[in-house]
Amino acid sequence: MYRYDEQDRQIMQERVAQFADQTQRYLAGELSEAEFRALRLMNGLYFQRFAPMYRIAIPYGMLSSGQLRMLAHIAHSYDRGYGHFSTRQNIQFNWCKTEDIPKIFGLLASVEMHSVQTSGNCIRNTTTDPLAGVAPDELEDPRPYCEFIRQWSMFHPEFAYLPRKFKIAVSAATQDRAAVQVHDIGIYLVQNAAGETGFQIWVGGGLGRTPILATRIRDFLEKPHLLSYLEAIVRVYNQHGRRDDTNRARIKILVRDLGAEKFAELVEAEWVKIRDGVLKLEDSDLQRMQTYFTTPEYDAGAAADSRFAAQLESDKAFARWVRYNVVDHKQPGYKAVYISLKAPGIPPGDATHEQMQALADLADRYSFGEVRSTHDQNLVLADVQQKDLFELWQALEEKQLATANIGSLTDMICCPGLDFCGLANAGSIDVAEKLNERFDDMDYLYDLGELRLKMSGCMNGCGHHSVGHIGILGVEKKGQEWYQITLGGNASNDASLGDRIGPAFDKAHVVDAIENIVKVYVDNRESEEERFLDTYRRIGMEPFKARVYAQEEAA
Amino acid sequence: MTLPLSKRVIRDRQIVEDPWLHLADEDALPESGDITVSLERWQSDNDALKAYAGHVGLRLDSDTDVEETGLAINDIPLIVLDFPIIDTNKRGYHPVGKGYSQAYLLRTRLGFKGEIRARGPAVMRDVLFYMSRCGINSFEMDESKDINDALKAFNEMTVAYQPSADSMQPAFMRRRNTAA
């Protein structure tokens, strides 16, 4: 993974000192609440319902075991013992004290981490495929490009006060595991007719109040131009994006209002003026960056192991975990392992400091000391030998980290909701818990297959409800918490936005509604292989609607 | 209404007495002295301004496309950029960042060599460094703000990740030299 050099260290130390000074001036009354607001947000510090929330960047989801231990330490010493992994592959703490933040920032810097631009109207943490570098369906490792984007976007003097937040995702695999098309800029690594690898550029995707999928504006961009092209897009956005209404300030609205074609013209016109300027990357730059993301020293004989096959045969629970949480690896004899942070009774995405410590140790023992976070709020050990899987599974079981539910209904994405967030209109964690109770029959859950349920506690859509196969959106009506349900959303290559099923449900009925929706699927699917999403796309909304509201009336 | 003379500004990282008077569109030209006018007045009152004895600077609002003014920009001694704060949807303090791109384009694309000044409520110590990276070299802050304290802003960061309109060499270019 990327390691800081002298320049990275210098810049981060200076930033820590700068933010410590800003915090001190705020606490001393020299900076007003309003003035400090923009500054603290750009450093990941929110003031919310009960205590400040502090969001720490995990650049494109990569964590070393040492970094994870530091997060465990922060959770233990400065929070209430746990952290929450977010849909931006970041982690946030909900109970830190404002005056402690500069100190925590310093601790982060000591392990080459930071909280810069994890909020505010600026370019946020770039996200990618959690299987980057190990996926069999990958064209090329996307992480060197993510790191280029990380550096280019960090402390960018021109783009610190954009109309609104700005998110970039990169994917290099056949299957999009990074939800590229719901980003302000989405980048796919692709090959052109000549067999060269470059970038396909999409813009104007985003969730929230007005969910819109991104549009492709460039089929192929040569590698040296990555940064100049991004700069052209963001400059056009900074000059033309709306600032009069927060809900119309994202780049998706600009692209929609201008039309993607016109927007692309503006970008190209800007880009031709800078494409051969200082931002142009040289081959040596690309090569230097790639040296940070080399293949670890795999055991060439790993595939010769026969224990794994025997263990699969003899232990049903293990086999089930492997089936759901373990995926193929490009290296024979190795697997990538999803660590579910969706155990029943635990808010989705939460991990305790003991769990983080244990995972850091397991990463050292089994996976070259690295852990990744995923945009669906789980973790990944990306380089595990198949012969070690059984032991790893047992160790994970002990720490409640072996819930075998990846991709299933209970592997839901969920924002912190009304319990923590100052913006939320409705609780989401308690609904998640009720869903877990309702769908506690694991066999039934497995029978349902891949079913992506995503839930947000308000319109801002942090829980990505618009692209859930089943989406749940919490809304407030007359002081009550209500839930709107959408069906048919999807964040992968064939991305789609969910359709609203009808009137919202109150808290007492939302779980019944979900159960009925699931029953309609089971009754209508053509085979066990047909996923919920495919059944929905085939049969449409009517059968779901009929069942769900018939039950409502009878109730 | 004539805006009062700002007493002191930061120019080229020093606190200096400010000679410029920001003239409102309805104000009559003074007898003498250096003034700034809006783009509208610059265009509508061009003959009178040409005949004016003192220097005339140009104030641009943040919506102006600096590449499309049609002016001989390099004959202008001072361009003042506006940095407002808006309270969008009553969700609070929202500094408008268009001036950063305006300054960057004035310096790098139009080759503007004169003084670029940042003015408006969003100008405060903690943004001066980014502003200066984008090519702004003078800063006019609200009197409630401590101008001496603001001078510290320029020394807080000594490394940059990306090129802008200043002379800081970005980290990725410095690495080329060290690797050689």
Side-chain angles (χ1 to χ4, degrees):
Chain A
M1 61 189 286
Y2 186 73
R3 298 302 312 266
Y4 283 6
D5 68 4
E6 214 27 69
Q7 308 200 59
D8 298 297
R9 266 191 289 278
Q10 177 82 15
I11 204 167
M12 226 48 98
Q13 276 165 13
E14 289 173 349
R15 177 65 183 141
V16 169
Q18 186 183 48
F19 189 66
D21 182 66
Q22 288 169 346
T23 307
Q24 190 271 323
R25 282 188 284 139
Y26 163 69
L27 293 172
E30 293 165 33
L31 279 172
S32 69
E33 285 285 343
E35 287 171 332
F36 187 52
R37 184 173 181 273
L39 303 175
R40 66 176 163 75
L41 285 178
M42 227 171 286
N43 203 58
L45 179 60
Y46 286 74
F47 288 168
Q48 35 184 42
R49 207 171 285 269
F50 300 112
M53 186 271 275
Y54 186 42
R55 184 183 291 149
I56 293 163
I58 303 175
Y60 38 95
M62 291 297 298
L63 277 173
S64 69
S65 55
Q67 291 173 331
L68 187 54
R69 283 192 188 94
M70 180 56 82
L71 295 177
H73 169 68
I74 292 167
H76 180 62
S77 305
Y78 297 93
D79 200 274
R80 295 189 179 173
Y82 63 95
H84 175 77
F85 287 91
S86 80
T87 53
R88 209 99 222 102
Q89 297 182 306
N90 291 329
I91 184 168
Q92 50 203 44
F93 291 106
N94 278 302
W95 303 100
C96 297
K97 294 194 192 81
T98 303
E99 55 270 34
D100 285 338
I101 300 298
K103 198 162 144 199
I104 302 173
F105 192 179
L107 291 172
L108 293 171
S110 74
V111 294
E112 305 182 5
M113 293 186 79
H114 66 84
S115 58
V116 176
Q117 293 170 211
T118 54
S119 180
N121 295 328
C122 50
I123 304 172
R124 307 285 189 88
N125 186 31
T126 295
T127 50
T128 193
D129 187 346
L131 303 180
V134 305
D137 65 340
E138 182 174 274
L139 190 60
E140 191 186 317
D141 193 335
R143 292 171 299 174
Y145 309 105
C146 294
E147 178 59 25
F148 273 120
I149 298 169
R150 200 263 313 159
Q151 295 189 20
W152 161 77
S153 60
M154 197 177 248
F155 311 113
H156 198 303
E158 195 182 332
F159 304 139
Y161 296 96
L162 296 171
R164 199 75 179 82
K165 59 187 172 183
F166 202 89
K167 302 176 179 182
I168 303 175
V170 186
S171 168
T174 313
Q175 195 200 334
D176 177 357
R177 286 172 289 260
V180 163
Q181 291 173 46
V182 298
H183 284 78
D184 296 285
I185 297 178
I187 301 174
Y188 288 117
L189 269 89
V190 292
Q191 238 163 22
N192 66 6
E196 297 157 337
T197 305
F199 310 105
Q200 193 182 78
I201 309 290
W202 296 57
V203 293
L207 299 171
R209 195 175 292 263
T210 315
I212 299 180
L213 296 173
T215 311
R216 190 168 68 215
I217 60 163
R218 190 165 236 280
D219 290 333
F220 190 81
L221 179 74
E222 291 161 335
K223 284 180 181 175
H225 301 306
L226 174 66
L227 300 181
S228 60
Y229 204 83
L230 297 182
E231 180 135 318
I233 295 173
V234 183
R235 184 165 297 132
V236 168
Y237 171 54
N238 191 34
Q239 291 174 291
H240 298 277
R242 285 179 64 168
R243 285 175 160 89
D244 58 322
D245 180 349
T246 315
N247 300 321
R248 294 186 165 77
R250 294 283 293 268
I251 196 174
K252 62 191 174 187
I253 304 296
L254 178 64
V255 173
R256 189 188 67 182
D257 289 353
L258 285 175
E261 212 166 300
K262 174 70 187 160
F263 179 82
E265 273 174 33
L266 291 175
V267 170
E268 294 281 329
E270 174 62 28
W271 180 57
V272 294
K273 296 174 188 165
I274 59 172
R275 55 172 283 170
D276 295 314
V278 275
L279 275 174
K280 188 172 177 182
L281 295 170
E282 295 179 354
D283 285 348
S284 64
D285 300 329
L286 296 164
Q287 283 159 9
R288 185 175 311 113
M289 193 60 90
Q290 278 159 353
T291 61
Y292 287 106
F293 301 95
T294 49
T295 309
E297 287 180 24
Y298 292 125
D299 179 347
D305 153 79
S306 59
R307 232 167 36 160
F308 176 54
Q311 285 157 339
L312 277 180
E313 199 64 40
S314 62
D315 194 312
K316 237 178 121 181
F318 172 64
R320 175 183 276 178
W321 175 76
V322 169
R323 181 171 166 207
Y324 283 90
N325 293 33
V326 175
V327 296
D328 285 341
H329 196 287
K330 67 178 186 188
Q331 178 73 16
Y334 281 79
K335 300 281 182 189
V337 175
Y338 280 90
I339 314 292
S340 172
L341 298 182
K342 315 291 173 64
I346 310 276
D350 277 12
T352 66
H353 70 102
E354 292 100 341
Q355 287 177 321
M356 292 187 232
Q357 281 286 0
L359 271 171
D361 294 345
L362 293 170
D364 280 340
R365 199 172 317 149
Y366 298 117
S367 195
F368 299 98
E370 287 179 6
V371 184
R372 292 117 182 265
S373 54
T374 79
H375 91 271
D376 30 26
Q377 302 179 287
N378 293 308
L379 298 174
V380 165
L381 293 176
D383 295 291
V384 182
Q385 280 201 46
Q386 63 181 43
K387 74 171 172 63
D388 295 330
L389 284 169
F390 192 80
E391 275 173 40
L392 173 62
W393 171 66
Q394 288 179 315
L396 290 170
E397 276 276 330
E398 267 176 43
K399 298 291 175 192
Q400 266 197 298
L401 289 168
T403 311
N405 63 350
I406 297 298
S408 78
L409 185 144
T410 55
D411 177 18
M412 59 191 107
I413 292 188
C414 180
C415 70
L418 201 55
D419 294 286
F420 293 103
C421 180
L423 302 172
N425 300 123
S428 47
I429 294 174
D430 51 345
V431 175
E433 202 171 329
K434 287 204 180 82
L435 283 165
N436 257 306
E437 286 163 13
R438 185 69 60 91
F439 291 92
D440 67 342
D441 178 345
M442 293 305 268
D443 288 323
Y444 181 57
L445 201 60
Y446 293 141
D447 179 60
L448 297 176
E450 184 187 341
L451 206 175
R452 305 279 177 178
L453 191 144
K454 306 188 183 199
M455 178 164 36
S456 308
C458 78
M459 285 288 212
N460 291 303
C462 297
H464 294 191
H465 62 276
S466 312
V467 288
H469 297 176
I470 297 176
I472 303 178
L473 165 64
V475 293
E476 190 234 291
K477 277 199 288 192
K478 296 179 187 148
Q480 300 281 324
E481 296 165 59
W482 289 76
Y483 297 87
Q484 283 175 4
I485 295 178
T486 50
L487 303 181
N490 177 32
S492 196
N493 305 63
D494 54 341
S496 53
L497 299 170
D499 309 310
R500 252 177 84 175
I501 189 166
F505 302 88
D506 66 14
K507 201 167 238 173
H509 294 94
V510 62
V511 176
D512 292 338
I514 299 295
E515 188 172 19
N516 281 316
I517 288 165
V518 168
K519 281 178 182 159
V520 174
Y521 157 64
V522 173
D523 292 348
N524 285 277
R525 64 181 168 186
E526 282 186 326
S527 71
E528 287 195 10
E529 274 67 54
E530 189 177 63
R531 297 177 306 165
F532 176 89
L533 179 66
D534 302 318
T535 302
Y536 172 76
R537 284 177 171 175
R538 183 171 54 78
I539 68 175
M541 182 65 87
E542 276 317 308
F544 292 96
K545 207 169 182 158
R547 177 83 161 254
V548 166
Y549 293 102
Q551 293 279 336
E552 271 281 286
E553 275 159 36
Chain B
M1 181 200 90
T2 302
L3 295 163
L5 264 177
S6 307
K7 286 154 201 71
R8 293 184 305 163
V9 295
I10 295 176
R11 191 168 65 220
D12 296 329
R13 305 192 175 192
Q14 289 188 327
I15 297 171
V16 296
E17 293 294 318
D18 182 27
W20 296 94
L21 174 73
H22 301 305
L23 204 64
D25 285 354
E26 63 276 17
D27 287 348
L29 285 175
E31 293 289 309
S32 63
D34 298 340
I35 56 168
T36 71
V37 297
S38 70
L39 179 60
E40 292 70 37
R41 182 144 186 193
W42 186 285
Q43 283 159 339
S44 63
D45 214 3
N46 199 252
D47 292 340
L49 292 171
K50 264 185 183 155
Y52 182 67
H55 292 112
V56 183
L58 174 65
R59 295 197 308 273
L60 298 179
D61 65 38
S62 65
D63 287 329
T64 306
D65 182 341
V66 295
E67 292 182 89
E68 302 291 334
T69 61
L71 303 179
I73 218 106
N74 263 314
D75 297 340
I76 302 172
L78 167 73
I79 294 179
V80 182
L81 300 176
D82 185 30
F83 286 88
I85 288 170
I86 48 177
D87 187 5
T88 318
N89 303 54
K90 299 203 165 32
R91 279 168 65 174
Y93 188 94
H94 190 154
V96 174
K98 288 174 132 176
Y100 293 90
S101 287
Q102 289 175 313
Y104 173 84
L105 292 170
L106 282 169
R107 286 287 186 228
T108 62
R109 193 154 301 162
L110 303 175
F112 182 71
K113 299 284 192 294
E115 177 176 343
I116 302 181
R117 175 177 298 191
R119 180 170 180 259
V123 184
M124 60 184 284
R125 168 181 162 175
D126 303 276
V127 300
L128 298 195
F129 176 67
Y130 281 0
M131 286 181 170
S132 70
R133 288 216 63 208
C134 292
I136 296 168
N137 67 321
S138 82
F139 307 91
E140 186 175 326
M141 287 187 292
D142 190 273
E143 279 181 48
S144 64
K145 297 190 168 79
D146 182 345
I147 195 167
N148 288 298
D149 183 58
L151 280 178
K152 294 175 189 162
F154 301 105
N155 301 316
E156 286 176 351
M157 305 284 271
T158 62
V159 183
Y161 272 132
Q162 60 295 99
S164 192
D166 60 347
S167 60
M168 286 181 88
Q169 194 182 32
F172 71 90
M173 292 180 74
R174 286 163 71 159
R175 289 178 185 129
R176 286 177 194 164
N177 304 332
T178 55

